Amino acid sequence: MQNNSSIEQFIADFDRLRMRCKADEDEEQKYTDEVWCEVISMDACHLLLGRPLQYDRRTKHDGFRNTYSFKKDGIHIVLAPLDSRDSSTSTMLLSKSEFLDYYKATEPKILFALVVTEQNTIISDTPPLIQPLLTEFLDVFPADIPGLIRESMSPCAVLALLVPKHGGAYRMCIDCRVVNKIIIKYRFPILRFEDLLDQLHGAKFCSKIDLRSGYHQIRLRPKEEWKTAFKTRDGLYEWMLISFGILNAPSTFMLLMNHIFCEFIGRFVVFYFDDSLIFSLNIQQHLQHFRDVFTVLKDQKLFANHGKCHFLTTEVAFLIYLISGDGILMDKTKVHAITSWPPSKTTIVAPITECLKGSSFVWTYEAQQAFDDLKIRVTSAPVLALPNFHEVFQFEFDASGLGIDGVLSQRKRPIAFFSEKLNDTWHKYSTYNKEFYAIIQSLEYWRHYLFPTKFILFSDHEALRYIQGQAKLKSHHAK
């Protein structure tokens, strides 16, 4: 074996190894021999002497002492088991990590060894308080999910697609457009992401759990697999689990998550498809919440991806935001994507929108200035506070010739923003009407925050202060 070879692959590729063994260096009894050993998976770390060796050496076995005796070159040899209680005798068994360390340090030209199978250890950057729980629920983190596909005899088939994932891996999808046309739609309500964040007020510690392969953990109904058949250069295959691209896959997955976590949702768990967030007020509470969630995952035979999980942290990236006890921040990776945007069409700010009008598209100087200003404002957004429903909400609004906007806050910390561009019809209305329209639209947008409780409204338009005292309102104001 060459020095630059992979020692792990070298050992794994062998079905048989020729091993050189040597007895204790005793002048009266010196024994050196070479034997062929079959490499098999064993729980016990023993060297078993097979019948061919016993036949060739004409050995005699003492069952009580567990020894083998024979003669070689006129010398009487007795092979006895290693006594681990003898401190003067060093063990000849090495773990795989010890063997690799020795190989890297010495770099021998040729090296043979029998290594002991080791249990995979938990990643070192995992908090020590979480490691015992991860060891207890080790079967929740498999290396892969078996039984995804099988060979198919389906009368129909579609093309398979490889979609790149973060980290260089690929996700295989199939073209389900034909199948989706005949599937009865099932619409399970999916919460807005902003509504999920409203439940995190007061949380100090979080753990993010990423379920491995998402939809691939839900079994298809038997005898329905043929509908998902796809063709490759190696033949025709079909999915045994739900694949990406199936019409009802998102709704079915959300239904499953709502069903198994129904006791925890809103208390200490929020989830958005395959991303789950465990949040707690203190460490002891978080450890108990962690155990409860993983007990459910183990009982339901759902698997997580350890490499994408984050445990017992005070700050975690959840989808597009960075969530901490202080509030909500923009994810730095998303900020970089925004700052590197090239100039393009958008409908967010008025100068850029104006470029879309007319028969030709012209990117003006004003549009470029608006676009640069937009990138700066988005990437330097303030930290959003998590709403506290036991405190009074405040919202401010304003209107201009181009649009309306509003800010919802508590204790002078922003919670959410709202804006809307006015169309040509609204440009003709008076400032009073525009300000009044800003109130209506803001209340409608934040009705789930403001309607159940009292709130404070701030306005810089003096005339709106007397709207409740007017004896007669115009028809569109009354609506």
Side-chain angles (χ1 to χ4, degrees):
M1 184 182 65
Q2 301 297 327
N3 289 341
N4 58 356
S5 300
S6 172
I7 189 67
E8 297 96 331
Q9 186 63 34
F10 176 77
I11 295 176
D13 288 346
F14 271 91
D15 293 328
R16 303 185 71 197
L17 283 176
R18 191 176 186 87
M19 189 188 72
R20 178 174 300 166
C21 53
K22 182 182 294 185
D24 292 341
E25 296 290 345
D26 193 337
E27 293 296 334
E28 298 181 357
Q29 187 181 30
K30 181 182 295 185
Y31 173 59
T32 303
D33 205 347
E34 290 185 359
V35 294
W36 282 102
C37 296
E38 302 287 345
V39 180
I40 59 177
S41 177
M42 299 170 57
D43 294 332
C45 307
H46 295 159
L47 176 64
L48 304 180
L49 301 182
R51 291 297 300 274
L53 176 67
Q54 297 182 42
Y55 177 84
D56 294 339
R57 300 294 184 268
R58 298 184 178 184
T59 62
K60 295 180 180 180
H61 180 238
D62 188 333
F64 180 77
R65 296 182 178 179
N66 193 20
T67 61
Y68 290 87
S69 59
F70 56 93
K71 285 187 177 182
K72 185 175 186 296
D73 299 332
I75 301 176
H76 184 72
I77 303 297
V78 177
L79 298 180
L82 180 67
D83 189 357
S84 59
R85 296 171 297 177
D86 186 2
S87 58
S88 62
T89 305
S90 60
T91 179
M92 299 296 292
L93 296 176
L94 298 176
S95 65
K96 183 177 179 180
S97 59
E98 293 173 334
F99 175 68
L100 294 177
D101 292 341
Y102 173 76
Y103 171 75
K104 294 175 182 178
T106 58
E107 295 186 356
K109 294 182 178 180
I110 300 178
L111 183 63
F112 298 93
L114 295 178
V115 296
V116 182
T117 302
E118 295 178 281
Q119 188 179 35
N120 291 334
T121 57
I122 303 300
I123 298 177
S124 58
D125 59 357
T126 303
L129 291 175
I130 291 292
Q131 288 186 4
L133 289 174
L134 295 182
T135 303
E136 179 181 350
F137 295 99
L138 196 61
D139 49 352
V140 179
F141 300 98
D144 202 354
I145 300 178
L148 295 178
I149 61 175
R150 66 184 181 189
E151 293 186 353
S152 177
M153 298 292 291
S154 174
C156 59
V158 296
L159 294 176
L161 308 173
L162 290 178
V163 180
K165 297 171 57 178
H166 179 72
Y170 287 88
R171 174 184 288 118
M172 188 175 71
C173 303
I174 60 175
D175 187 357
C176 301
R177 287 176 294 181
V178 176
V179 177
N180 288 339
K181 290 180 180 179
I182 62 175
I183 293 179
I184 300 175
K185 293 183 179 181
Y186 170 68
R187 299 188 182 276
F188 187 85
I190 299 175
L191 290 178
R192 298 190 314 155
F193 183 69
E194 291 77 5
D195 295 335
L196 298 178
L197 299 181
D198 293 346
Q199 307 173 34
L200 303 180
H201 176 77
K204 300 298 182 182
F205 297 94
C206 298
S207 290
K208 187 178 77 169
I209 311 301
D210 182 88
L211 296 183
R212 179 178 290 275
S213 301
Y215 307 150
H216 291 340
Q217 301 201 42
I218 302 178
R219 181 70 167 87
L220 281 174
R221 187 170 63 181
K223 299 182 180 180
E224 297 289 333
E225 298 90 348
W226 65 273
K227 299 177 182 178
T228 64
F230 59 93
K231 51 189 175 182
T232 69
R233 67 176 185 180
D234 298 320
L236 191 64
Y237 297 89
E238 62 188 20
W239 287 97
M240 299 179 64
L241 307 173
I242 292 182
S243 67
F244 291 86
I246 295 292
L247 178 65
N248 290 331
S251 297
T252 303
F253 192 85
M254 291 296 288
L255 172 63
L256 172 66
M257 300 298 288
N258 271 276
H259 177 70
I260 64 175
F261 290 126
C262 60
E263 298 181 12
F264 310 145
I265 296 175
R267 294 171 50 204
F268 55 85
V269 170
V270 296
F271 62 88
Y272 196 79
F273 294 101
D274 58 346
D275 288 325
S276 302
L277 194 66
I278 307 173
F279 57 94
S280 310
L281 299 178
N282 54 63
I283 294 180
Q284 295 302 324
Q285 189 183 67
H286 191 76
L287 295 178
Q288 183 59 46
H289 293 166
F290 189 93
R291 177 182 293 276
D292 293 340
V293 171
F294 271 76
T295 300
V296 172
L297 293 178
K298 183 177 181 179
D299 294 342
Q300 299 296 328
K301 293 181 173 57
L302 294 175
F303 308 115
N305 187 347
H306 192 290
K308 293 185 178 180
C309 295
H310 300 274
F311 307 109
L312 196 60
T313 179
T314 57
E315 186 178 84
V316 63
F318 190 58
L319 299 183
I320 61 174
Y321 295 109
L322 194 63
I323 301 174
S324 67
D326 297 329
I328 306 172
L329 293 169
M330 293 288 293
D331 191 347
K332 295 181 180 179
T333 58
K334 305 299 186 298
V335 169
H336 174 72
I338 293 173
T339 55
S340 59
W341 275 349
S344 61
K345 302 175 185 179
T346 181
T347 59
I348 300 178
V349 290
I352 302 178
T353 307
E354 295 298 325
C355 296
L356 300 176
K357 298 181 179 179
S359 58
S360 61
F361 175 79
V362 179
W363 186 258
T364 63
Y365 175 75
E366 291 77 11
Q368 182 62 46
Q369 279 190 322
F371 185 75
D372 294 338
D373 182 61
L374 176 64
K375 291 193 291 184
I376 295 174
R377 291 177 181 272
V378 172
T379 56
S380 59
V383 178
L384 296 181
L386 295 171
N388 184 357
F389 291 92
H390 300 290
E391 296 183 358
V392 177
F393 286 97
Q394 305 168 352
F395 88 85
E396 306 173 40
F397 65 93
D398 199 2
S400 66
L402 296 177
I404 60 175
D405 54 54
V407 180
L408 182 69
S409 61
Q410 282 181 333
R411 294 186 177 183
K412 298 182 179 181
R413 290 193 60 187
I415 295 176
F417 296 92
F418 165 75
S419 64
E420 179 182 321
K421 185 179 181 295
L422 297 177
N423 54 30
D424 294 337
T425 303
W426 273 103
H427 288 169
K428 302 175 183 178
Y429 280 78
S430 65
T431 303
Y432 178 86
N433 287 328
K434 293 177 182 176
E435 295 279 351
F436 191 82
Y437 180 69
I439 296 179
I440 300 302
Q441 292 300 97
S442 298
L443 289 175
E444 177 66 21
Y445 188 76
W446 290 318
R447 62 185 182 277
H448 54 291
Y449 291 113
L450 303 177
F451 285 3
T453 183
K454 295 181 179 180
F455 59 90
I456 301 175
L457 185 150
F458 293 94
S459 174
D460 60 354
H461 195 71
E462 186 70 17
L464 290 175
R465 293 178 55 187
Y466 308 103
I467 188 171
Q468 291 184 334
Q470 294 182 12
K472 189 174 181 180
L473 293 176
K474 294 183 179 180
S475 58
H476 61 276
H477 289 168
K479 291 180 181 180

